[in-house]
Structures are given as C-alpha cells and as structure tokens.
Amino acid sequence: MLNATSRRPEFYFTTEPDQSRVLPCAPESVAVARRLVAAVLARWELPHLTDRAVLIASELVTNAVVHARTNKASIRVIVTRVDTSRVQVAVTDLDPRLPTAGKAAGPTATHGRGLALVASLSECWGVVPLHWGKSVWAEVGSEPGAPA
C-alpha cells in the first residue's frame, strides 16, 4: 500500500542549504538529476542514503518527464537535508495534475511501478499541490518504510 500524504513538508532548519537545479522536462534530465543527488549526498557525507535517494530522484523525474509535459517545459529537482540522517528529494513541475498510484502493474508491464518503488524506498512521500503545478517529494533516512 502506498503511503502518500498531501501534507506540506515542514520547513527544515539545518546548517545545509537546499540544493536545487532547474532542468528541461526531457529524458536526459533523469541522468542529470541522479548526478545532482549523488553529488549533494557525497558533499553532505551521507553515502548510505545515496542509492535509494538517486533511484527515487530517477523515478520522480521520469514521472515528471512522462506525465507532466507542458508548454512551459521545465522541472526543478530539490534536495533538502531534513536532519543529520535524513534527506528529502522533491521534483516540482508545472502540471497541476496530481499523480495517482493506479492499479498494480502486471508482470509484463513496462511502466507503472514508479510510485510503488518510491513508496518502498522512502520513509514517506507525498504531493504538494501548487497553484501553478505540484511538487512530489520523498524522504530517505536510515530505514525505508520507517515512520518519519
């Protein structure tokens, strides 16, 4: 079961500033987002979170590229250090349509597992509706699926 929430993430106060980058809403942005997240976590000395955070970023950016194509084709990838052992990865796009988990993907389906994968790899995830689009986010900490 997916654990999405529409609650707005709290504002986090850490010594590390958010790291973000505006990217084109295009397939090549997936690799750029993965590199951004990996570099930020290396700089923050959180290597144990890298694999999950990079995969989450990949899925969220892919969803934005596939589902949120708009005439104003850009997305923003944001990495926030929530506390000493947790980060939040968010992808903001200009499409106000909210993602839906939908039905489970069949064994031969080539897509449809992204949000289920995000849910399984994160402590929590959700969507923040914005008047001009949305932000889909997930938090990664020590244990996936653990309460935040």
Side-chain angles (χ1 to χ4, degrees), residues 18-19 27-28 31 38 44 54 59 64-65 70 99 107 110 125 130-131 136 144:
D18 291 354
Q19 302 292 309
E28 57 271 13
W44 290 346
V54 165
E59 291 299 324
V65 168
T70 66
T110 59
W125 73 279
L130 305 166
H131 69 278
V136 184

Side-chain angles (χ1 to χ4, degrees), residues 74-96:
S74 65
I75 59 173
R76 179 179 292 272
V77 178
I78 307 160
V79 185
T80 304
R81 188 160 187 175
V82 176
D83 58 31
T84 59
S85 64
R86 224 168 14 136
V87 298
Q88 181 183 90
V89 177
V91 175
T92 302
D93 63 57
L94 301 172
D95 184 350

Side-chain angles (χ1 to χ4, degrees), residues 113-131:
R113 294 179 183 86
L115 290 178
L117 186 57
V118 168
S120 71
L121 293 172
S122 65
E123 292 182 10
C124 57
W125 73 279
V127 182
V128 178
L130 305 166
H131 69 278

